[in-house]
Every structure is written in structure tokens, then in C-alpha cells.
Amino acid sequence: QLQLVESGGGLVQAGDSLRLSCVASGRTSGSWAMGWFRQTPGAEREFVAAIRYSGSTHYGDSVKGRFTISRDGRKNTVHLQMNSLKPEDSAVYYCAAGNGVILSAIRTTNSYTYWGQGTQVTVSS
């Protein structure tokens, strides 16, 4: 079992920055890939970013160049630094973990077994 807890969401203005964090606890040993997804009401969960066990990072097209995912292994924490935020970035952001996720499936929600409760990000124009 793995528990994930997100933090760092909030209300900001367009152009501002936010940093989300996700702390993992429980059975943290393993080849975990950590991902961030987001979801708005009535829409499917959208891939935002992921970092594989190897350290490789991957981003959704809409956030590439603005968001950065990083991992602090000692603290079992993954961060999502979000810069130049836009109103369309508003969503509930979810942290997710999957063991042994292959590269071709890094953007797929089904690749991730554990999910956090989500944190709201609202960007006003």
C-alpha cells in the first residue's frame, strides 16, 4: 500500500506560480513512477507530468516549458512547479504512483495504482 497526500493548491492570478507537493508514505520501496494529472468537472483526467524511477521526466503538451516535475527521494516527495499559470490550468490536481510504469504508458491513468485526494488550483484572469 502507498498513501499519497498533495498540498500547495490555491487561488492565484494569471502569470503567477504555484508549487504542488505530494508526499508518499507506506511501501515506498520499488520502481515507482510518480505522475500529476488534473481534472475539471465533466472532463476526463488529463496527464500533466510524470517522473519515472530512472529520473526521466515527461510533460503534457499544454504545460511543457511552464511546469517542472522533480523528486526528493530522501523525503519521498514529488513536486510540481507551475509557472506562468493560465486560467485554463484551473483544475483539481492529483498525484499518482505506479510501479514499473513503462515509457509508452506514462501518460495513461490506468498505469497508476495509487492516487491522492487532489488539490484545487484556481487561476483567475
Side-chain angles (χ1 to χ4, degrees), residues 34-49:
M34 302 296 295
W36 287 96
F37 291 76
R38 66 188 183 187
Q39 190 171 25
T40 55
E44 293 190 356
R45 204 159 285 192
E46 176 192 7
F47 172 75
V48 175

Side-chain angles (χ1 to χ4, degrees), residues 100-122:
V101 179
I102 60 175
L103 180 58
S104 60
I106 199 70
R107 300 165 183 261
T108 307
T109 56
N110 287 343
S111 298
Y112 298 85
T113 306
Y114 300 101
W115 294 82
Q117 81 287 352
T119 185
Q120 177 71 49
V121 172
T122 303

Side-chain angles (χ1 to χ4, degrees), residues 23-84:
V23 179
S25 61
R27 190 172 64 87
T28 57
S29 62
S31 303
W32 295 103
M34 302 296 295
W36 287 96
F37 291 76
R38 66 188 183 187
Q39 190 171 25
T40 55
E44 293 190 356
R45 204 159 285 192
E46 176 192 7
F47 172 75
V48 175
I51 183 165
R52 296 180 70 213
Y53 182 74
S54 63
S56 65
T57 57
H58 310 272
Y59 298 94
D61 290 340
S62 61
V63 307
K64 204 171 294 183
R66 299 188 298 123
F67 290 12
T68 303
I69 189 170
S70 61
R71 182 179 63 204
D72 183 343
R74 295 172 300 175
K75 297 182 180 179
N76 294 322
T77 302
V78 174
H79 303 288
L80 183 69
Q81 178 66 42
M82 306 186 295
N83 298 329
S84 302

Side-chain angles (χ1 to χ4, degrees), residues 79-95:
H79 303 288
L80 183 69
Q81 178 66 42
M82 306 186 295
N83 298 329
S84 302
L85 282 162
K86 305 175 181 179
E88 51 264 43
D89 294 318
S90 298
V92 177
Y93 283 70
Y94 296 92
C95 176

